[in-house]
Amino acid sequence: MSNTAAVIPEAKARLQVQDRPIPQPQGSEVLVKNGAIATNPVDWKIQDYAMMINEYPNVLGSDISGTIESIGPEVKRFKKGDRVTGFADFVGNQDLNHGAFQQYTLLNDHATAKIPDSISFEEGAILPMAIATTGVGIFLNLGIPRPEGTEKQSGGFLVWGASSSVGSAAVQVARSLGYTVYAVASPNHHSKTREYGASHVFDYNDSNVLANIANAAKGDGNTIRLAYDAISENGTSEQVASVLEQQGGGKLVVTLPFPETAKKPDNVEISATFAPRLHTDSKEFAAWLFNDFLERSLADKTFVPSPAIEKVEGGIASVQKALDLHRKGLSGKKLVIPLA
Ligand SMILES: NC(=O)c1ccc[n+]([C@@H]2O[C@H](COP(=O)([O-])OP(=O)(O)OC[C@H]3O[C@@H](n4cnc5c(N)ncnc54)[C@H](OP(=O)(O)O)[C@@H]3O)[C@@H](O)[C@H]2O)c1
C-alpha cells in the first residue's frame, strides 16, 4: 500500500502527484485515511508567496476528514475505525506526514473530533480550519468564557463576512453562545446567513451599512461590544472598528493583520486570530475545542458544516486545480476533494 500525495517540490512550484510512505503514528498522533480534503486561502497563498513553509518538498493543507487507521501509544480518545475530522499541523511542524493533501495524514489528537454518522466526509472536511480560526478568535482573542451548562451570553455580536467559511462558523458559534448576531454579507447569502443564526443581515455594498447596523442594534435595545472580521481586507477592519467605536468601544478580532496605516479607535481593542496556535501555545484549548465543543455541537446540531460545498472531482491529482479555483475567489462555498 502506498500514500498518494500532492507534493510541493520547492517554493512556488506547482503540486506534483507522488507516492509517499504511509507514516506510523507516534505519541499522541492518529493516522487518518482521508475520505475528503478541503482547501483554504492560506494554501494558495503559501504556494504563491513562499510563506510559512521553510522545508521543501512538503505537503500542504489543513482540512481533512476520514477514518482512523491506527493510533499512537498515548492516544486514549480515539480508536481504529472512528470517523473523524481534524486540523492538520503542517504549518507548525513542517512535517510532510502532517499535510492534508494526501491519502493518509497524521493528526495530533488534540485537534481531532469524531463526527456523527449523519455527517459525510465531505462535510467533515470543511470544519477544521473554520472552527480553529473561529474558536481561537472568539474564546482566546475576545476572551469569551467557554460555555458551561445552560448559561448564555447576551448583547450584540457583529460578524463581517458571514458568507465566508470562517464567518459562517463565527455566526454559528456566536449564536450558540447566546449573542444576537448582526451579520454582513452580500444579499445572495442573506437567507443562508439567517439559517446559521444571524438575527439581522446587512449588505456590505450598501453605502448605509454602518448606520443600518447601528439602527438595528438600537431597535433591539442592544449594544454591540464584540466583533469578528472574517474578511480583514479592502477596508473591512476599519469599518468594523468604527461600528464598535460608535457603540462606545469594544473588542474586534481580525483574520489578517489590521492595516498599519489605518487609525485604531482608542476605545477598540484589536487582535488577530491565528489558527495554528492550536498546535503551539494552546493545545489544552484545542483539546476542549475539538474533542469537546465541536463534538457536542455537531451531535446536538448547534453547529452544522458551513458554507455550501463544491466538489472538485479527480482525487489527489485535482488538488492543484482546486487551489487554482480558490485563488480566483469563492462566493459562499468551500472546495472539497472527495477521495476514494
Ligand atoms: N488568521 C488565521 O489563522 C486565518 C485562518 C483562516 C483564514 N484566514 C483568512 O481569513 C479570510 C477568510 O477566509 P475564508 O476561508 O473564510 O474565506 P472565503 O470563504 O474564501 O471568503 C469568501 C467570502 O468572502 C466574502 N467577502 C469578500 N469580500 C467581502 C467584504 N468586503 N465584505 C463581506 N464579505 C466579503 C465573499 O462574499 P461575496 O461573494 O458575497 O462577495 C465570499 O463569500 C482569508 O483572508 C483567510 O486567509 C485567516
Side-chain angles (χ1 to χ4, degrees), residues 25-196:
Q26 309 293 319
S28 57
E29 295 170 334
V30 300
L31 177 70
V32 178
K33 181 172 190 221
N34 296 326
I37 54 184
T39 59
N40 286 287
V42 72
D43 301 319
W44 65 259
K45 289 179 188 177
I46 289 174
Q47 187 172 43
D48 283 11
Y49 305 123
M51 56 187 219
M52 290 171 129
I53 293 295
N54 310 315
E55 302 285 332
Y56 292 93
N58 215 318
V59 175
L60 309 182
S62 307
D63 281 354
I64 70 164
S65 182
T67 309
I68 294 194
E69 191 75 11
S70 56
I71 59 171
E74 292 164 24
V75 174
K76 303 272 184 288
R77 292 198 85 257
F78 301 99
K79 60 179 188 319
K80 181 175 163 62
D82 283 347
R83 299 175 75 251
V84 295
T85 178
F87 183 52
D89 183 23
F90 80 105
V91 169
N93 61 26
Q94 310 270 317
D95 176 349
L96 279 75
N97 296 322
H98 280 258
F101 298 157
Q102 52 195 332
Q103 187 77 59
Y104 291 87
T105 296
L106 289 178
L107 291 176
N108 299 325
D109 68 349
H110 60 253
T112 304
K114 289 177 205 161
I115 54 171
D117 290 345
S118 57
I119 291 196
S120 66
F121 290 138
E122 285 82 9
E123 291 171 315
I126 66 173
L127 296 167
M129 177 66 89
I131 196 74
T133 312
T134 298
V136 169
I138 287 185
F139 295 106
L140 301 186
N141 292 76
L142 296 179
I144 295 166
R146 299 177 194 181
E148 280 179 25
T150 54
E151 197 183 320
K152 291 284 182 198
Q153 304 292 332
S154 60
F157 192 114
L158 174 62
V159 178
W160 196 291
S163 67
S164 68
S165 168
V166 173
S168 60
V171 168
Q172 295 192 67
V173 173
R175 179 65 202 130
S176 78
L177 294 173
Y179 293 104
T180 304
V181 178
Y182 301 83
V184 180
S186 62
N188 282 345
H189 305 300
H190 280 185
S191 114
K192 250 319 181 203
T193 302
R194 284 184 195 278
E195 272 180 42
Y196 294 142

Side-chain angles (χ1 to χ4, degrees), residues 6 8 12-16 38-48 60 101 310 312 316-330 333 335-337:
I8 182 162
K12 300 192 178 181
R14 307 275 293 170
L15 303 186
Q16 292 176 358
T39 59
N40 286 287
V42 72
D43 301 319
W44 65 259
K45 289 179 188 177
I46 289 174
Q47 187 172 43
D48 283 11
L60 309 182
F101 298 157
E310 180 172 305
V312 179
I316 294 294
S318 68
V319 176
Q320 183 63 62
K321 178 180 165 193
L323 293 191
D324 294 341
L325 287 169
H326 211 144
R327 184 185 288 106
K328 287 183 191 157
L330 302 177
K333 63 188 178 188
L335 300 178
V336 173
I337 300 131

Side-chain angles (χ1 to χ4, degrees), residues 237-239 241-242 245 258-268 270:
S237 299
E238 294 93 313
Q239 289 176 290
S242 89
E245 182 182 26
F258 193 83
E260 280 181 18
T261 50
K263 185 182 167 298
K264 288 186 182 176
D266 291 338
N267 60 0
V268 181
I270 302 170

Side-chain angles (χ1 to χ4, degrees), residues 258-323:
F258 193 83
E260 280 181 18
T261 50
K263 185 182 167 298
K264 288 186 182 176
D266 291 338
N267 60 0
V268 181
E269 192 182 309
I270 302 170
S271 63
T273 181
F274 189 57
R277 283 184 65 186
L278 295 190
H279 296 298
T280 56
D281 66 353
S282 305
K283 290 182 190 169
E284 183 278 331
F285 170 73
W288 173 78
L289 185 69
F290 272 78
N291 303 163
D292 182 352
F293 180 76
L294 181 58
E295 283 191 8
R296 262 190 298 125
S297 305
L298 291 173
D300 68 15
K301 296 190 169 55
T302 48
F303 191 91
V304 297
S306 66
I309 288 171
E310 180 172 305
K311 291 185 195 178
V312 179
E313 301 290 353
I316 294 294
S318 68
V319 176
Q320 183 63 62
K321 178 180 165 193
L323 293 191

